[in-house]
Structure formats: structure tokens, C-alpha cells
């Protein structure tokens, strides 16, 4: 089932999401619906709060990428650590349609998380996968990529999205 994606400046995108405690059929269905929704919207990452479920879960799908790690990833209750290096990547977001701006992120990260069954997992990620994980993780804390732009770029984006709103 396809889900509606909340768009900036929806206040629900600004909430801090709650840890997942039940690894049940509802969680599995939500993750499946998120994959379907993201595929239909041509995205590569989607966090549960973007579809109005304020829980700490997100997906990344790099299966259509031509280089680097491919495949579908799911992260529940993630924790990012050991960030090293720097990468600037031109990011977009399904909740901020039509905006693309370069954001500075860590190049290498380690992420500890649970899979949809609740099993603990660890992943070392770099480049696009690391960028996607950091972008999606931010959604769990109510942070959007436009919050991480320099003041000058943020002003440009703000003008584009409408002068009345405060980023
Ligand atoms: C986050 O972003 C991301 O404006 C996922 O018109 C971004 O899937 C991770 C999208 C960059 C890593 C690198 C945005 C689709 C999709 C748009 C997305 C649009 C159509 C963004
Ligand atoms: Co996003």
C-alpha cells in the first residue's frame, strides 16, 4: 500500500521519533509499504516519520545505483558512531521536493541497528550509503537536510520554498 509523504513545512517532520519496541507484523507491513512508496516516488531513502509514523526506522534503497553498494537496507533503532572523513553530496528529500543542495557529511560511519525481526546488526558504510544513512537518521530527530546548509544557501532555499516560512 502506498503511503502519503509529509512535506515541508509540516510540523510533524520536526518531532523526535520514539524507539521501536515491537518487532511485529505491523512493523513489517510499514517497512514494506515504505519500500513501495519510495519506489513509486523515485527516492533512495525514506524515514518512518516522513509517512507520519514517528518511530525510529528508515529504509535506503540503492538497488538502482550503478556504482558502489547496492541493495535494499532497513534500519530500526539505529545508532551512528565512528564517523570519519568528509564528503559533500548534492542531497534532495522526498519531503522537500524540488530542492537539491550540497550538504557536508561524514564519509565513513559505523551504524548499529536492529533489523525488522529485532536482531542486532552492525554495518560499516561509506560514500553514498553513508550519506543516505546520515540523512535518514536526521529525520528521526526532526532534522531536515536544509537545516544543515550554510546560512547563504539556506536563505536561497527559503526564498524558493516561500518567504513566509522560517527554516
Ligand atoms: C535522501 O532522498 C538522500 O526533490 C533521499 O523531486 C539524498 O530519495 C540520500 C526526490 C541524497 C542520499 C543522498 C527528491 C525525488 C528524492 C526530489 C530522496 C524529487 C524527487 C529524494
Ligand atoms: Co529526507
Amino acid at each position: 500500500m502506498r503511503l502519503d509523504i509529509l512535506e515541508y513545512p509540516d510540523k510533524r517532520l520536526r518531532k523526535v521519533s520514539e524507539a521501536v519496541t515491537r518487532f511485529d507484523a505491523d512493523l513489517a507491513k510499514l517497512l514494506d509499504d515504505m519500500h513501495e512508496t519510495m519506489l513509486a516516488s523515485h527516492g533512495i531513502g525514506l524515514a518512518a516519520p516522513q509517512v507520519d509514523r514517528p518511530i525510529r526506522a528508515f529504509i535506503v534503497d540503492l538497488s538502482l545505483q550503478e556504482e558502489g553498494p547496492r541493495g535494499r537496507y532497513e534500519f530500526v533503532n539505529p545508532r551512528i558512531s565512528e564517523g570519519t572523513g568528509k564528503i559533500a553530496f548534492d542531497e534532495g528529500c522526498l519531503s522537500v521536493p524540488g530542492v537539491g543542495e550540497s550538504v557536508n557529511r561524514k564519509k565513513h560511519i559505523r551504524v548499529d541497528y536492529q533489523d525488522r525481526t529485532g536482531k542486532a546488526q552492525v554495518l560499516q558504510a561509506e560514500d553514498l550509503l553513508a550519506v543516505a544513512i546520515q540523512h535518514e537518521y536526521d529525520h528521526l530527530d526532526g532534522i531536515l537536510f536544509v537545516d544543515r546548509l550554510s546560512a547563504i544557501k539556506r536563505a536561497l532555499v527559503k526564498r524558493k520554498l516561500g518567504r513566509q516560512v522560517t527554516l
Side-chain angles (χ1 to χ4, degrees), residues 15-22 27 48-49 53-57 76-78 139-142:
K15 283 205 274 191
V16 176
S17 290
E18 301 280 342
V20 172
T21 53
R22 300 165 86 179
L27 177 66
R53 306 302 198 279
I55 60 167
R56 302 189 79 80
V76 180
N77 297 329
H139 280 294
L140 307 185
D141 287 337

Side-chain angles (χ1 to χ4, degrees), residues 112-151:
D112 291 86
Y113 63 102
Q114 286 167 284
D115 63 22
R116 62 163 73 194
T117 71
K119 187 167 182 276
Q121 306 280 357
V122 188
L123 177 73
Q124 305 275 350
E126 60 179 23
D127 298 321
L128 178 59
L129 180 56
V131 168
I133 290 168
Q134 291 168 84
H135 175 115
E136 299 311 328
Y137 184 91
D138 273 351
H139 280 294
L140 307 185
D141 287 337
I143 298 167
L144 300 176
F145 80 98
V146 290
D147 302 340
R148 298 203 179 276
L149 302 176
S150 64

Side-chain angles (χ1 to χ4, degrees), residues 7-117:
E7 290 185 4
Y8 177 93
D10 197 303
K11 283 275 187 298
R12 288 170 288 182
L13 292 168
R14 297 311 197 166
K15 283 205 274 191
V16 176
S17 290
E18 301 280 342
V20 172
T21 53
R22 300 165 86 179
F23 295 83
D24 56 11
D26 287 350
L27 177 66
K29 167 88 166 104
L30 172 61
L31 291 167
D32 288 344
D33 287 347
M34 286 170 62
H35 281 292
E36 185 183 336
T37 302
M38 187 172 74
L39 202 67
S41 316
H42 307 288
I44 59 168
L46 185 68
Q50 291 180 273
V51 291
D52 203 18
R53 306 302 198 279
I55 60 167
R56 302 189 79 80
F58 61 78
I59 62 171
V60 172
D61 189 342
L62 302 181
S63 57
L64 299 178
Q65 299 298 310
E66 293 181 354
E67 303 177 13
R70 288 148 153 263
R72 283 166 57 142
Y73 299 85
E74 296 174 352
F75 300 87
V76 180
N77 297 329
R79 273 188 33 241
I80 296 176
S81 57
E82 295 175 14
T84 58
K86 283 186 192 167
I87 183 171
F89 198 90
D90 207 4
E91 297 190 18
C93 180
L94 290 169
S95 293
V96 194
V99 175
E101 289 291 342
S102 180
V103 179
N104 294 312
R105 302 281 188 184
K106 293 285 198 293
K107 185 173 168 67
H108 301 268
I109 56 167
R110 168 191 160 123
V111 54
D112 291 86
Y113 63 102
Q114 286 167 284
D115 63 22
R116 62 163 73 194
T117 71

